[in-house]
Structure formats: structure tokens, C-alpha cells
Amino acid sequence: MTPAELSRTVLGALRHAVAAGEVSAVPGEVLGRVIVAVPRPGGYGDYACNVALVAAGPARVGALALAALLRERLRHDPRLADIRVTGPGFLNFVLADPATYERDLVAEAGRPGDALAGLSVTLRPCDARAEVLAEALVRIARAQGGDLHVDHRHGEPLRAAPPYERTAPLDPESRRWALLHTAPADRPRLDAPLLVQRVENPLFLVRYAHSRARALVRNAADLGYGPRAGDSGPHAAPLLALLAEQPAVLRRAVEHRAPDRLARRLVRVAGALLDFHDRTGGLLPLGGLKPQAAHRARLALAEAAGTVLAGGLTLLGVSAPLYV
């Protein structure tokens, strides 16, 4: 069960509760979308959802009572191993089959979504840097089903702090990355560290991780096998969590008019992919050994992460070369 599927499942339970008269009518904006996210540190399960907290007021019921009602409706779903209500009314889910979850997540990695379906906004960039931000926001929104436009005479004003003076001969893509990787309210630096070909440079790190993922797939093909999603083992959890949150990151980047959220998330995905590679001994079988199911699953996860990195860079208007 992917985050999108879980969101639809929870939303269906809430709608059925309303239809059955178990709770009062809930406004359309609440019934339109349920946000599912990876629990924060210290949380429980694979996913958490605050729908009971959001809908409790309109439904004229306590958040804990609504969460318990939804839990009762969902507890027989064979895709969910456990559902708990925590805190003031959060629903927490444990998936029944980690391998199935990983296969679904890998299959959806990098695909266009509908997290912003129905959104229609016109942006009016008010400065040179805001022009770059607006272009990225339009691409991100349209990739998630939203409809953003740029109009220099009308629309929502979009402003951004200007960059510091250029002190290095940056190529256009490094400059664009610097403008987007920095929060709109902060002034980006356009200087020499952006030219360094080391992992300390965030753009190089993202491109290197993408290139490494593609190289692993090519090397596996040379060994006579390919990726097949499954259970990659315990070291995969941090990378899986980041991939699962990618649609929510894209949505928040648009809602907050902050494409830096996507850029910074790509840096985290790149770091998690390289860490996963190192912790699992390089992903490919060593010493002439035949590939096992775990090797194929790890390769599929690395390929999915590479797809997310390439797609994210493309949304930001930055290329994802195969070799860096």
C-alpha cells in the first residue's frame, strides 16, 4: 500500500462514516484530501495521519472519538497489520507486507501525481530571482496535477531576496540551483563552492548519487541481471521513507511557494541513497556470486531513487547527467 492508496483508504472510511450518519457532515475541503506522512522521530508505525484532528470540529465529535471510529472501520483491511491512535487523535499505521509496500513505492517513484489536482493559481514575479522560482513552481505544480501560470501584470505577488554579488564564473545551471536551493527569504551565495566537484557541494552530491544509481543498473546488466522490487532489508528504511514523502514535498513546495523544499529534499535523498549503498556492501554481488533476491530488490530501490533525483532536478530546470 502506497501513501496515495492509504490516503484514499482513510478518506473512504471518513466518507462512509459521514454517509452512515456516524458523524455530522464534513466540509468538502476536508473530504477532498487526506494527508498521510511518515511519522516523526519517536512516532509509531510506517505512516501517520491527522485527519481526525482536522475533521473533528466540522464533524462535531472529539478527535479521539473520531480517530477510534476510523480505526474500527479500517482495522479489517488486510493491507494494514496494526492501527493505533496516539496523542490527541493521530492515526498510526503499520503495513502488513513490507515487501509489497516497497514494490508499490518503487513502482510509483517519479511518476506524475495528483496531489495538487484542482489547484489553479496565477503568480506575478516581482523581481529577477522570483522569475526563476516561478518557473520551477509551475513545473512542480503541473507534475502534480495543479495549474499554475505566470502573469507579469496580474496574480499573486511572488518576491524573493536578491543573491549576493557573483564571485565565481558559474554556469547557468549552478546559478539556477543556487537560486532555488536557498529559501526565498534568504540571499543565495553565487560563489566558488558551487564549482567544487565534491559531495560538500549539494548540486554535485545530487548529480553524483543519480549517476551512481544509473551506473549500478548498467553494471548489473553486464552481470546478467536487472532490478526487481522486493524487500531490501532494514538498511532501506531511511531511503524508503524519503521516497514515500516525495509527493507531499512537491505539494508543500508549491503551497508555500518554496521550491527550495524540493531542492533540499533531493540532497537528503542523495545522501540516503549513498548511505544505503555503503551499508549494504555496494548493492551488487561480489566475488562472482550469483545475485539473490535481495540484490535485485536493492538495485530496484536504487534505480527508483535515481529516478526521483533526475525528476526532481528536471522540475527545478537542472540537468541530471549520467556521468559526473
Side-chain angles (χ1 to χ4, degrees):
M1 180 182 285
T2 64
E5 290 172 336
L6 180 55
S7 175
R8 289 192 292 269
T9 300
V10 175
L11 179 58
L14 178 58
R15 285 174 171 168
H16 285 128
V18 172
E22 297 172 337
V23 297
S24 299
V26 178
E29 59 267 23
V30 177
L31 290 175
R33 184 176 64 199
V34 170
I35 298 174
V36 171
V38 176
R40 295 183 178 181
Y44 172 78
D46 298 305
Y47 291 107
C49 178
N50 69 344
V51 65
L53 298 171
V54 174
R60 299 178 183 177
V61 65
L64 284 172
L66 181 55
L69 187 155
L70 294 175
R71 177 185 179 278
E72 184 63 24
R73 282 187 165 273
L74 294 167
R75 69 185 182 89
H76 297 296
D77 192 315
R79 299 169 297 176
L80 299 172
D82 189 23
I83 308 173
R84 293 187 188 179
V85 178
T86 61
F90 290 100
L91 283 166
N92 295 259
F93 305 93
V94 176
L95 301 180
D97 186 350
T100 299
Y101 159 66
E102 184 170 333
R103 283 194 291 269
D104 291 343
L105 192 58
V106 166
E108 285 198 354
R111 288 185 178 178
D114 59 358
L116 291 171
L119 176 70
S120 181
V121 176
T122 299
L123 299 177
R124 176 167 56 87
C126 298
D127 51 68
R129 184 181 170 210
E131 291 277 1
V132 178
L133 271 63
E135 291 173 8
L137 289 171
V138 167
R139 284 191 293 268
I140 296 170
R142 291 179 179 175
Q144 291 297 304
D147 186 19
L148 258 69
H149 298 277
V150 173
D151 189 320
H152 294 90
R153 295 174 298 175
H154 308 285
E156 174 191 319
L158 182 64
R159 296 181 175 86
Y164 289 98
E165 290 297 323
R166 186 200 307 232
T167 58
L170 298 180
D171 61 278
E173 291 194 338
S174 294
R175 179 183 176 86
R176 174 179 289 274
W177 170 268
L179 296 177
L180 295 172
H181 181 256
T182 307
D186 298 331
R187 298 182 66 185
R189 300 192 64 90
L190 306 178
D191 51 12
L194 289 166
L195 300 174
V196 174
Q197 300 298 291
R198 293 197 298 267
V199 294
E200 291 80 6
N201 176 356
L203 176 56
F204 175 81
L205 175 65
V206 173
R207 283 173 156 173
Y208 172 74
H210 164 260
S211 175
R212 189 74 190 116
R214 300 304 184 215
L216 287 168
V217 175
R218 293 195 302 271
N219 293 341
D222 291 341
L223 295 174
Y225 78 100
R228 183 181 300 162
D231 187 356
S232 296
H235 296 306
L239 181 55
L240 285 169
L242 291 171
L243 297 186
E245 288 184 333
Q246 187 69 2
V249 170
L250 296 174
R251 174 179 52 79
R252 290 194 293 266
V254 173
E255 291 177 344
H256 294 275
R257 312 296 187 257
D260 63 290
R261 292 178 178 236
L262 171 57
R264 288 185 278 112
R265 177 51 61 104
L266 295 180
V267 175
R268 291 186 61 190
V269 171
L273 172 57
L274 296 177
D275 184 66
F276 174 60
H277 175 275
D278 294 342
R279 287 177 176 269
T280 53
L283 303 186
L284 301 180
L286 302 176
L289 297 176
K290 291 185 177 180
Q292 305 297 317
H295 292 111
R296 297 178 184 274
R298 293 166 187 164
L299 185 64
L301 179 54
E303 183 180 42
T307 299
V308 167
L309 292 173
L313 287 173
T314 299
L315 292 176
L316 295 174
V318 178
S319 64
L322 289 178
Y323 305 96
V324 295

